[in-house]
Amino acid sequence: MKTVRYIWQALQRVTLTGWVSALAAAWLWQAAALVAFHRGEYGLVNFAQELSWWLVGGVIVFGALVLVAAAAWRPQWKVPSRALVGGGWMLAFWLAYRADSSSRMYLFLALAAFTAVLVYYAEIRGLLSVRWLRPARWSVWTVCAVLFLAMAGALAVLGCLRYRCYIAPNFDFGIFCQMFHNMKETGLPLTTCERNQLMSHFAVHVSPVYYLMLPAYMLFPSPYTLAVGQAVVVASGVFPLLLICRRYGLSAKVSVAMTLAYAAYPALSAGCLYDLHENCFLAPLLLLLFCAYEYKKTFPMVAAALLVLSVKEDAAAAVAIFALYVLFSRRDVKRGLLLFSMAVLWFGVALWLLDTYGEGGMIGRYADYQYGGGGLLSIVKTLAVNPGLFLRRVLSATAEKPAEKLWYLLQLALPLAPLLCGTRRLSRFILLLPVAVNLLSNWPYQYNVTFQYSFGVSAFFLYLCVMNAAEQKPAERRAGATFAVLTAVMLYVMVFWPSVTASVQRCKNNAETCRTLDAVLETIPDEASVTCSTFLLPHLADRAVVYEDVYHKEMDADYFVVDLRPGYRNGKHEELLANYRAAGYRDVEVKENVIAVLRKP
């Protein structure tokens, strides 16, 4: 009787709010479990309709009683409120994970709004101020290192699986596989598969930064090294970001939250979905530049700026935008002019090199702003005279996908919105200019986070968030950082993670086909020239001469290799095979629905 009386007295101490929170939490957790574990062949609605009211109600009531009992035992733990927030976010997480690609934008807007409500509730209930959790300096760096390994591991697995499953194409992986092979052999970034002739990749993009990856490739000469190398490069940005957080005096908890947001930020992970690109260096190197500037280290700042400029000719725009911020927001004339001069000088030299010895600057994606075939100055004049043209097109995309630019902007800005906008210093918004450069174009890859054009934008956004967070009130800072982490994780499982799981499943389902492809390609001599399909080219790139069949029209290679896998054929394989056979090429090996190898007589 004493035990029953004690329990009854304890339950009476639970407030009505506690009971309501417990019921709501139990309901949200059962809803999250329903979404997470449902594996039926028919819709979730039908499955839910077949559940008994008594079963659902019993589960909710039982869960609520458990939470209320915990609240009665330890009121200071606020168990019902914490369970309510946790259940709400778990429901949002699993809805994001199960999201259909056709409705992701609208679902994400709804989930972000729901998450904002949960974060606000958590803050007013005092759940975000976890006073007993005080990470030491060494533990913050430990967490950062773990995040680095986790992020690099996920990206490396994706890159390696894409190569292993023969789904990494010539653009943008095969050209770099051949380029690094030639860099190892000759020291020069030569390719034949990029423009159907022997030429330097630097005639297309001036990217000496690739030599930073060459030592690792020299030790382990394999395309897998390139996939892992990009993963390590992108993930390494967590370290300069943490240093910037420490410079601005952010607490250990907020600093960890910012590095978590970096690791889950969709534009960084999803930017690796189409294999290798020099832009992967932009995020860590720009953060290194910002870090060097914040610590007032002029020589490291100049060195970091040079590294950024070495990524690509248009990386000068990123350095110039940062220089403008240093000039007009920080009023640091000397460093600002120094950085701006470096950017302008390098851009001029790079364009001269491309125009004189290379393929010219790639400004065709801004053709809508050019007049009479004019160059870069024509684009600048158009925007200066008619800025309304940019305003009309900043969020307009193609007729088939009219909301694509809006979806792109939401993925970039919405997770960080409370921190991005949390300042009255309007001059800081200069740091948002890189996203305007992407939105300026109607080239679809430029405003798609699953391509490589948002690495630099991400670095600018996160840097601005750290500065703004340092000036916000503690409650605003906690809420903004928490919202950033939760929404970034939701986008991560919505946009990036499905590609990893799909690649794993594809490798399992096509293991025998991949082994067959390996065995057939191994029979082609290393010294032979090859024309082949795009998805086979990375596996044949460790040779002096290799071409992609769609672009190379001459029948001059020693071998012609065609991908016959359903779904990977280029649509002209039968015509190409007939033409090559008519030209005298003879079948060496033909595996139906897998591969065909022909040899020049």
Side-chain angles (χ1 to χ4, degrees):
M1 288 296 295
K2 290 183 179 180
T3 303
V4 174
R5 187 182 303 110
Y6 174 77
I7 295 174
W8 175 248
Q9 291 174 350
L11 291 176
Q12 285 182 313
R13 291 197 296 270
V14 179
T15 64
L16 178 61
T17 302
W19 280 97
V20 172
S21 298
L23 285 168
W27 169 59
L28 289 172
W29 276 103
Q30 71 84 27
L34 184 65
V35 177
F37 297 108
H38 172 63
R39 291 290 188 276
E41 296 180 357
Y42 50 93
L44 191 59
V45 173
N46 296 333
F47 179 71
Q49 288 293 328
E50 293 183 4
L51 291 176
S52 167
W53 276 108
W54 291 104
L55 175 62
V56 174
V59 169
I60 294 174
V61 170
F62 176 77
L65 288 174
V66 171
L67 294 174
V68 167
W73 180 49
R74 288 289 187 271
Q76 67 275 19
W77 289 358
K78 302 179 182 178
V79 174
S81 296
R82 296 185 188 280
L84 173 61
V85 174
W89 188 75
M90 286 304 298
L91 175 60
F93 173 88
W94 284 107
L95 286 172
Y97 184 78
R98 304 284 188 206
D100 184 271
S101 59
S102 61
S103 59
R104 286 186 301 181
M105 183 177 78
Y106 304 104
L107 176 62
F108 178 62
L109 279 171
L111 295 180
F114 180 56
T115 302
V117 172
L118 290 176
V119 171
Y120 176 75
Y121 172 79
E123 178 57 40
I124 63 175
R125 294 289 294 168
L127 305 181
L128 298 183
S129 182
V130 188
R131 301 187 182 280
W132 55 268
L133 182 60
R134 298 175 183 271
R137 182 183 295 269
W138 64 267
S139 62
V140 173
W141 284 103
T142 302
V143 171
C144 187
V146 170
L147 286 174
F148 163 75
L149 293 174
M151 184 180 184
L155 294 177
V157 166
L158 174 68
C160 292
L161 285 176
R162 283 180 58 82
Y163 173 74
R164 179 69 192 99
C165 298
Y166 287 81
I167 58 174
N170 179 33
F171 295 92
D172 283 334
F173 197 58
I175 57 175
F176 297 122
C177 291
Q178 189 189 24
M179 184 187 78
F180 271 91
H181 169 74
N182 285 325
M183 287 168 71
K184 179 176 74 73
E185 297 295 325
T186 68
L188 299 176
L190 302 175
T191 68
T192 57
C193 57
E194 189 168 13
R195 294 293 188 269
N196 299 306
Q197 59 181 332
L198 182 63
M199 60 176 287
S200 169
H201 173 67
F202 293 176
V204 179
H205 291 303
V206 186
S207 305
V209 73
Y210 272 129
Y211 281 97
L212 294 179
M213 296 178 69
L214 185 57
Y217 187 85
M218 295 284 285
L219 290 174
F220 306 100
S222 167
Y224 290 113
T225 303
L226 302 181
V228 174
Q230 175 168 254
V232 170
V233 166
V234 174
S236 65
V238 296
F239 298 112
L241 179 63
L242 181 56
L243 285 173
I244 296 172
C245 291
R246 307 297 291 187
R247 180 65 174 174
Y248 274 91
L250 297 184
S251 68
K253 288 176 283 190
V254 174
S255 298
V256 167
M258 293 305 301
T259 55
L260 269 168
Y262 180 97
Y265 198 53
L268 294 170
S269 295
C272 299
L273 286 176
Y274 286 92
D275 309 298
L276 183 61
H277 201 278
E278 57 265 11
N279 281 4
C280 71
F281 286 92
L282 281 177
L285 291 181
L286 279 171
L287 287 171
L288 192 63
L289 171 61
F290 304 153
C291 182
Y293 174 76
E294 291 297 342
Y295 282 87
K296 302 302 179 186
K297 304 292 185 181
T298 302
F299 180 76
M301 181 193 74
V302 171
L306 289 173
L307 286 173
V308 173
L309 294 173
S310 71
V311 171
K312 207 167 140 183
E313 62 279 358
D314 58 10
V319 177
I321 289 170
F322 180 61
L324 292 176
Y325 163 74
V326 171
L327 276 170
F328 295 107
S329 183
R330 304 294 282 268
R331 309 293 176 87
D332 190 341
V333 177
K334 291 183 179 180
R335 290 185 176 88
L337 288 177
L338 174 61
L339 290 172
F340 193 79
S341 300
M342 291 173 62
V344 172
L345 179 62
W346 167 250
F347 189 61
V349 170
L351 281 186
W352 177 80
L353 289 172
L354 290 172
D355 289 336
T356 305
Y357 301 104
E359 301 288 299
M362 296 182 67
I363 59 175
R365 64 196 64 174
Y366 301 105
D368 292 345
Y369 305 92
Q370 293 175 265
Y371 176 76
L376 183 64
L377 291 178
S378 175
I379 299 173
V380 174
K381 181 179 180 181
T382 299
L383 293 174
V385 174
N386 185 15
L389 182 61
F390 167 70
L391 295 176
R392 287 199 301 271
R393 298 186 180 181
V394 64
L395 288 181
S396 64
T398 61
E400 296 79 13
K401 298 179 179 179
E404 196 168 12
K405 283 188 178 179
L406 178 60
W407 174 225
Y408 171 71
L409 193 58
L410 287 173
Q411 291 174 89
L412 285 176
L414 190 54
L416 305 175
L419 298 176
L420 276 178
C421 302
T423 182
R424 294 182 179 179
R425 300 189 182 187
L426 297 181
S427 59
R428 284 184 180 172
F429 292 131
I430 293 173
L431 297 173
L432 299 181
L433 286 177
V435 75
V437 175
N438 284 0
L439 293 173
L440 189 67
S441 172
N442 269 348
W443 197 51
Y445 307 116
Q446 191 101 12
Y447 48 86
N448 189 327
V449 297
T450 61
F451 289 87
Q452 63 272 7
Y453 298 100
S454 299
F455 287 115
V457 176
S458 304
F460 277 99
F461 275 27
L462 289 163
Y463 176 49
L464 179 57
C465 286
V466 171
M467 287 191 292
N468 292 345
E471 296 177 353
Q472 290 178 334
K473 296 178 181 178
E476 295 174 346
R477 184 163 55 243
R478 285 193 301 267
T482 304
F483 180 82
V485 172
L486 297 182
T487 49
V489 169
M490 284 193 300
L491 265 180
Y492 185 88
V493 300
M494 187 182 286
V495 175
F496 172 74
W497 193 248
S499 296
V500 178
T501 56
S503 296
V504 172
Q505 192 61 43
R506 189 180 286 112
C507 279
K508 289 181 179 179
N509 295 340
N510 300 292
E512 186 60 35
T513 299
C514 291
R515 283 193 289 269
T516 300
L517 289 169
D518 291 341
V520 172
L521 295 184
E522 284 179 3
T523 64
I524 300 175
D526 292 341
E527 65 277 5
S529 59
V530 177
T531 298
C532 63
S533 303
T534 184
F535 293 107
L536 302 179
L537 197 147
H539 299 261
L540 293 165
D542 56 344
R543 64 191 64 246
V545 179
V546 62
Y547 303 110
E548 184 177 341
D549 57 1
V550 174
Y551 303 107
H552 191 68
K553 305 304 181 182
E554 294 79 8
M555 300 181 189
D556 53 1
D558 297 327
Y559 284 81
F560 178 60
V561 188
V562 183
D563 192 345
L564 298 181
R565 293 175 297 164
Y568 296 94
R569 301 168 178 173
N570 60 28
K572 297 182 178 180
H573 62 285
E574 292 182 357
E575 178 185 347
L576 289 171
L577 282 170
N579 291 340
Y580 271 83
R581 284 166 178 157
Y585 280 73
R586 295 292 179 259
D587 291 353
V588 174
E589 191 156 12
V590 177
K591 300 287 186 181
E592 187 178 356
N593 290 327
V594 180
I595 191 173
V597 179
L598 283 68
R599 185 172 58 198
K600 189 176 182 179

